């Protein structure tokens, strides 16, 4: 398997539309909607790419063996670097590998002290994220939808 991290603007907008409108993906993203089109995709990719200049980090496009597999990385939420990982169902089995590389880059290269992950209450994954070292860290609300926040500290700041 050959994994590449690319800018989202390097991906054919149609592939992003297909991913962000996929019914199985939308079931995992309560803020998503099935009306993502080419124009929205182009603007969305530019906005996501601009986060790198604004924050020093941002999301990537994941390409596996020359196929767009999804997107994710770190996005600024308040004062936090928040982890996102959105994969096409055909690639759900490689999420752990991509996650590990995101975490390595965040802590080892970008020197980020902690990252968060926001999960809707409909996702029963507290045990899963705790296996990765995330600890419960409150709740936040977006568009009247409540999310559980979990936090992972870098090794030098990890709370045990």
């Amino acid at each position: 398997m050959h994994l590449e991290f690319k800018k989202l603007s390097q991906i054919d907008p149609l592939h992003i539309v297909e991913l962000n409108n996929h019914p199985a993906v939308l079931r995992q993203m309560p803020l998503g909607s099935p009306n993502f089109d080419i124009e929205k995709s182009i603007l969305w990719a530019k906005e996501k790419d601009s986060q790198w200049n604004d924050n020093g980090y941002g999301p990537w496009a994941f390409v596996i063996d020359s196929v767009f597999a999804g997107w994710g990385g770190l996005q600024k939420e308040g004062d936090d670097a928040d982890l996102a990982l959105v994969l096409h169902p055909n690639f759900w089995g490689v999420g752990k590998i991509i996650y590990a590389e995101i975490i390595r880059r965040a802590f080892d290269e970008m020197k980020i002290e902690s990252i968060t992950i926001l999960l809707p209450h409909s996702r029963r994954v507290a045990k899963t994220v705790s296996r990765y070292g995330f600890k419960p860290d409150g709740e936040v609300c977006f568009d009247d939808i409540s999310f559980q926040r979990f936090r992972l500290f870098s090794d030098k700041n990890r709370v045990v």
Side-chain angles (χ1 to χ4, degrees):
M1 176 184 86
H2 178 69
L3 171 63
E4 297 175 85
F5 283 51
K6 295 186 172 192
K7 290 183 176 183
L8 281 157
S9 58
Q10 293 178 281
I11 303 302
D12 181 335
L14 182 58
H15 295 308
I16 295 172
V17 168
E18 290 171 0
L19 173 68
N20 286 350
N21 284 333
H22 194 287
V25 171
L26 285 171
R27 281 192 294 275
Q28 306 299 321
M29 296 178 17
L31 297 177
S33 64
N35 64 352
F36 205 79
D37 60 24
I38 296 291
E39 184 178 333
K40 287 179 184 176
S41 176
I42 292 167
L43 293 172
W44 178 86
K46 286 181 183 177
E47 185 277 325
K48 294 294 187 190
D49 286 351
S50 74
Q51 292 181 33
W52 284 94
N53 291 331
D54 297 342
N55 306 315
Y57 57 82
W60 294 277
F62 307 121
V63 177
I64 297 175
D65 297 331
S66 302
V67 176
F68 174 62
W71 67 273
L74 303 173
Q75 302 182 97
K76 191 165 182 69
E77 288 292 344
D79 292 331
D80 293 319
D82 188 66
L83 176 68
L85 183 56
V86 179
L87 297 176
H88 188 281
N90 292 345
F91 293 94
W92 282 356
V94 297
K96 288 180 183 180
I97 294 167
I98 295 170
Y99 162 82
E101 181 60 16
I102 293 170
I103 296 300
R104 186 195 67 74
R105 291 179 184 205
F107 292 149
D108 296 346
E109 295 176 10
M110 298 175 201
K111 306 299 183 197
I112 293 173
E113 293 183 12
S114 73
I115 61 172
T116 60
I117 187 169
L118 303 176
L119 298 170
H121 287 279
S122 60
R123 304 267 310 267
R124 306 281 183 220
V125 294
K127 287 183 181 179
T128 302
V129 296
S130 68
R131 275 188 257 145
Y132 288 101
F134 283 88
K135 306 286 184 206
D137 190 45
E139 293 192 13
V140 295
C141 194
F142 297 104
D143 294 336
D144 295 325
I145 298 172
S146 182
F147 291 82
Q148 302 169 85
R149 180 176 56 215
F150 298 87
R151 184 174 304 276
L152 177 68
F153 288 91
S154 69
D155 286 338
K156 67 178 180 151
N157 294 310
R158 188 135 325 147
V159 175
V160 199

